[in-house]
Amino acid sequence: MGDSTVMTPEGRARAVPHPVTDASGPAPLRRPRAPRRPRLWFETLLIAVSYWTYSLIRNAVPEQRSEALRNADWIWRTEHQLGLAFEHSVNHAVNSVTWLVVGMNYYYATLHFVITLGVLVWLYRGHPGRYAAARLVLFATTVIALVGYYLYPLAPPRLMTGGDFIDTVLVHQTWGSMASGDLKNMSNQYAAMPSMHIGWSLWCGLMIFALARVPWVRVLGLLYPAATLVVIVATANHFWLDAVGGMVCLAFGYTVARLWYGALPHALPRQVPGPRRRPVLDLRRLLPAAARGEHDAGDGRLPGPAELVPERPEPRDGSQETRETAASHNAATKAPSAG
């Protein structure tokens, strides 16, 4: 069953079995892709183009204000039913401490990019064998987040109608955040689910925890996404359920990298072997043995140095002493060398 039939020159049919596995399938499905050494110019261009494309698509998603506000009301009611609607209390408590809330505003506006790029550079320099897989996790996480922005527009707490949340950027006049203030028109205000502040910060934290060698640095890696969660809630830019969405997207990114490379990034080798050197062609081997100064010993092997020394002929005068001297010389030359 499943065999194909071919005709031999004698006209008789012969069954040719199909191979068990078809080698014509896609390469990533047959075997995991081997990591390659990253190239600086390519990675720099890829990251720049990817972030520009991400921002373009994110801001091109229609700002469906009415649907985004309805979704925000549903999220808020759900959190109340779970008994975990703590965003309002955290927002007002932090806003009462000026230096703290100002610091959180700048944290939200800057570290999201600075630390993510810093971890990418660290992986590129210190873990080139794991860099491509880690970068794939980040990119796949971001791509699936764009799908979420399109399918589920969501208003942040600070934009809810009657939510009584404080927009900390407006109140304290801090700069840098595109979530509100003068730069709000440059960013889609209703792309809150999932939170890429959590998705990216958790990616950074896991990479640092898994690969850093200094214990306190590993601890800081875990504290970074936890601090980010506090910041996004305190500044009223996200619900905590938005953070759950970011975690789901990150899990998707790790799944893609696991399927593509056959292992999670931290399980791959740290270094990538360099390109194999091609063997150098020895043109002397193409010449005849005589032209290379070699002689055949008659048994298919090359003679040793002792075999190339000519024998001393026995003297014709017949003296016993002279014959013994010649015989000793010939025996010495035929003896195998110690080397």
Side-chain angles (χ1 to χ4, degrees):
M1 180 178 180
D3 293 347
S4 59
T5 303
V6 298
M7 298 298 295
T8 61
E10 294 79 11
R12 290 175 297 179
R14 181 168 59 89
V16 180
H18 288 295
V20 177
T21 58
D22 186 6
S24 61
L29 299 180
R30 293 204 315 267
R31 62 178 182 273
R33 184 178 179 89
R36 298 180 180 179
R37 185 177 298 275
R39 293 166 290 180
L40 180 59
W41 69 268
F42 176 77
E43 295 300 329
T44 303
L45 181 63
L46 178 64
I47 292 173
V49 172
S50 298
Y51 183 73
W52 175 80
T53 305
Y54 162 74
S55 301
L56 186 66
I57 296 176
R58 182 179 185 271
N59 297 333
V61 173
E63 292 192 0
Q64 306 174 39
R65 184 176 183 275
S66 58
E67 183 178 356
L69 290 174
R70 287 196 302 270
N71 290 336
D73 291 336
W74 183 88
I75 290 284
W76 191 230
R77 289 195 306 271
T78 301
E79 291 187 353
H80 273 90
Q81 292 172 1
L82 295 174
L84 296 173
F86 50 78
E87 289 90 343
H88 184 274
S89 300
V90 174
N91 174 236
H92 281 257
V94 171
N95 187 70
S96 63
V97 184
T98 303
W99 64 267
L100 181 59
V101 70
V102 169
M104 287 187 173
N105 285 341
Y106 289 128
Y107 181 113
Y108 184 88
T110 58
L111 293 190
H112 178 54
F113 306 102
V114 173
I115 293 186
T116 303
L117 288 176
V119 172
L120 282 171
V121 172
W122 171 62
L123 291 172
Y124 176 88
R125 292 174 59 87
H127 302 267
R130 299 159 178 158
Y131 171 83
R135 187 242 295 144
L136 178 60
V137 173
L138 187 65
F139 279 26
T141 300
T142 306
V143 168
I144 198 64
L146 290 173
V147 179
Y149 298 150
Y150 184 84
L151 296 179
Y152 195 79
L154 178 66
R158 57 185 173 80
L159 294 182
M160 285 181 60
T161 303
D164 193 29
F165 283 92
I166 301 172
D167 191 333
T168 58
V169 173
L170 285 178
V171 171
H172 298 279
Q173 298 296 310
T174 52
W175 57 267
S177 176
M178 292 187 179
S180 57
D182 296 335
L183 300 178
K184 64 181 180 181
N185 294 327
M186 298 178 61
S187 178
N188 187 348
Q189 299 298 294
Y190 304 108
M193 171 66 84
S195 169
M196 279 299 94
H197 272 75
I198 291 299
W200 290 10
S201 65
L202 186 57
W203 173 85
C204 294
L206 292 176
M207 289 293 107
I208 294 172
F209 179 78
L211 302 178
R213 297 180 178 179
V214 182
W216 65 266
V217 174
R218 301 179 66 193
V219 173
L220 287 179
L222 293 181
L223 291 178
Y224 173 53
T228 302
L229 175 60
V230 175
V231 168
I232 66 173
V233 170
T235 55
N237 282 296
H238 288 281
F239 298 98
W240 67 265
L241 280 177
D242 300 345
V244 175
M247 295 176 188
V248 173
C249 291
L250 183 63
F252 172 82
Y254 271 105
T255 302
V256 171
R258 176 66 176 81
L259 294 175
W260 187 256
Y261 287 99
L264 296 178
H266 69 273
L268 294 172
R270 178 174 182 174
Q271 300 293 336
V272 178
R276 295 181 178 179
R277 295 183 178 180
R278 296 182 179 180
V280 180
L281 179 62
D282 187 1
L283 298 178
R284 295 180 64 255
R285 308 303 300 176
L286 302 178
L287 299 175
R292 297 197 305 265
E294 300 174 354
H295 302 279
D296 193 352
D299 56 356
R301 62 179 179 84
L302 295 179
E307 297 176 90
L308 299 178
V309 180
E311 295 186 359
R312 180 183 294 180
E314 295 186 2
R316 297 182 178 181
D317 56 2
S319 63
Q320 180 68 24
E321 180 180 355
T322 305
R323 287 197 299 271
E324 291 178 355
T325 302
S328 299
H329 168 77
N330 294 335
T333 58
K334 294 180 178 180
S337 60

